């Protein structure tokens, strides 16, 4: 939509809705003026090409973290009002177009086991009939061959993370219990990067209120085994919700 000409945040919670206008020129964000009991933020931006909106449910996410704004109008019809990625959902692009949206949470506590497929050219999402084997929020989703690996995450935003992963068979559109496996340790808010037939998991937390992890592990997806990297090969600094990028040299860069 180009450079926005007007920005606004609506704070929602157990109080009358409050709206705050943001400065476009100074890039200032008066979050300190929002009520401390704010549960959800609705953001809108107006520009020359039209209007865009975004949504952020507060929990693990900080109010000042980046928020995706989706354009309104013919360029982005969003016909299915029930199809959206809730807070903590794992979203991954699929081969041939489309996306998988798995898990997440709309409640302050419990995560969801729901998963939906959005096929390219379709205006509605298709629920995965089986759902995930476990409720997961703040997991990762990675495409491997004709499957999607959903790893870690937590069933309860107040509690411990899972030490498991499960696979969605894209040809059958079902999660396969026989293909699920174990992680070396529970992880949520971590990062994942596919390296051939091996999945690298880095950082995160073992529980919602726990310390941030500096550890990393490798999952052999063909063999169904996992191994934790030696401490000397892990992160120099503990990181939650990092981003992993593989360089042309083959090295992996962790950013957060």
């Amino acid at each position: 939509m180009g450079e926005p000409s007007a920005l606004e945040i609506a704070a929602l919670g157990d109080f009358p809705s409050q709206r705050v206008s943001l400065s476009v020129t100074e890039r200032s964000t008066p979050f300190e003026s929002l009520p401390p009991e704010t549960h959800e933020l609705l953001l809108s931006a107006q520009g020359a090409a039209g209007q865009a909106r975004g949504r952020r449910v507060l929990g693990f996410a900080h109010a000042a973290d980046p928020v995706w704004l989706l354009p309104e109008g013919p360029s982005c019809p969003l016909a299915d009002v029930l199809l959206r990625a809730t807070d903590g959902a794992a979203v991954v692009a699929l081969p041939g177009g489309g996306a998988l949206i798995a898990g997440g949470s709309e409640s302050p506590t419990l995560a969801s086991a729901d998963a939906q497929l959005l096929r390219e050219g379709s205006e509605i999402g298709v629920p995965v009939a089986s759902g995930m084997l476990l409720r997961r929020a703040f997991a990762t989703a990675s495409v491997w061959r004709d499957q999607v690996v959903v790893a870690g995450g937590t069933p309860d935003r107040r509690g411990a993370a899972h030490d498991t992963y499960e696979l969605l068979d894209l040809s059958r559109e079902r999660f396969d219990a026989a293909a699920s496996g174990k992680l070396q340790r529970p992880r949520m808010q971590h990062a994942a990067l596919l390296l051939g037939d091996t999945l690298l998991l880095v950082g995160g937390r073992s529980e919602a209120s726990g310390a941030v992890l500096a550890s990393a592990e490798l999952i052999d997806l063909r063999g169904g085994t996992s191994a934790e990297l030696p401490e000397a090969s892990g992160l120099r600094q503990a990181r939650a919700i990092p981003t992993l990028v593989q360089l042309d040299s083959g090295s992996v860069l962790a950013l957060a």
Side-chain angles (χ1 to χ4, degrees):
M1 63 177 293
E3 185 74 13
S5 58
L7 298 169
E8 185 181 76
I9 287 181
L12 306 180
D14 191 17
F15 52 83
S17 177
Q18 296 191 19
R19 296 182 179 275
V20 176
S21 296
L22 308 183
S23 170
V24 177
T25 56
E26 298 179 6
R27 307 291 183 185
S28 62
T29 309
F31 288 110
E32 64 277 1
S33 65
L34 300 177
E37 61 271 26
T38 299
H39 173 67
E40 184 174 348
L41 300 177
L42 299 180
L43 298 92
S44 62
Q46 183 70 45
Q51 192 169 33
R53 297 186 184 275
R55 175 176 177 267
R56 163 63 52 80
V57 177
L58 301 182
F60 292 113
H62 189 273
D65 287 345
V67 178
W68 286 104
L69 299 181
L70 296 178
E72 294 185 332
S75 64
C76 188
L78 295 180
D80 190 346
V81 296
L82 298 178
L83 180 69
R84 54 196 176 96
T86 57
D87 194 34
V91 183
V92 64
L94 300 177
L100 169 72
I101 303 173
S105 174
E106 286 190 287
S107 83
T109 55
L110 295 181
S112 170
D114 293 342
Q116 298 187 78
L117 292 166
L118 179 62
R119 296 300 187 185
E120 189 172 10
S122 174
E123 295 183 349
I124 61 173
V126 179
V128 177
S130 63
M132 290 190 294
L133 305 175
L134 298 172
R135 292 182 284 110
R136 299 179 190 267
F138 304 100
T140 54
S142 310
V143 175
W144 173 60
R145 299 187 178 186
D146 59 348
Q147 301 179 84
V148 178
V149 186
V150 181
T154 178
D156 190 322
R157 297 165 66 109
R158 304 164 299 182
H162 289 302
D163 63 350
T164 61
Y165 65 88
E166 52 188 284
L167 276 73
L168 170 67
D169 185 332
L170 290 172
S171 62
R172 296 191 299 134
E173 297 187 358
R174 295 188 66 85
F175 283 91
D176 186 355
S180 61
K182 295 277 287 184
L183 307 180
Q184 287 297 304
R185 67 171 67 204
R187 288 185 192 273
M188 59 184 291
Q189 297 183 309
H190 56 285
L193 181 65
L194 190 66
L195 306 170
D197 291 326
T198 301
L199 185 65
L200 171 65
L201 303 183
V202 171
R205 289 184 169 90
S206 290
E207 56 183 299
S209 58
V212 180
L213 301 174
S215 65
E217 61 185 275
L218 294 170
I219 302 174
D220 179 354
L221 296 173
R222 295 186 66 182
T225 60
S226 62
E228 191 159 19
L229 292 179
E231 184 175 347
S233 301
L235 295 172
R236 294 183 181 179
Q237 294 182 333
R239 298 177 186 270
I241 323 180
T243 297
L244 299 180
V245 178
Q246 187 173 20
L247 307 179
D248 290 341
S249 64
S251 299
V252 175
L253 181 65
L255 306 168

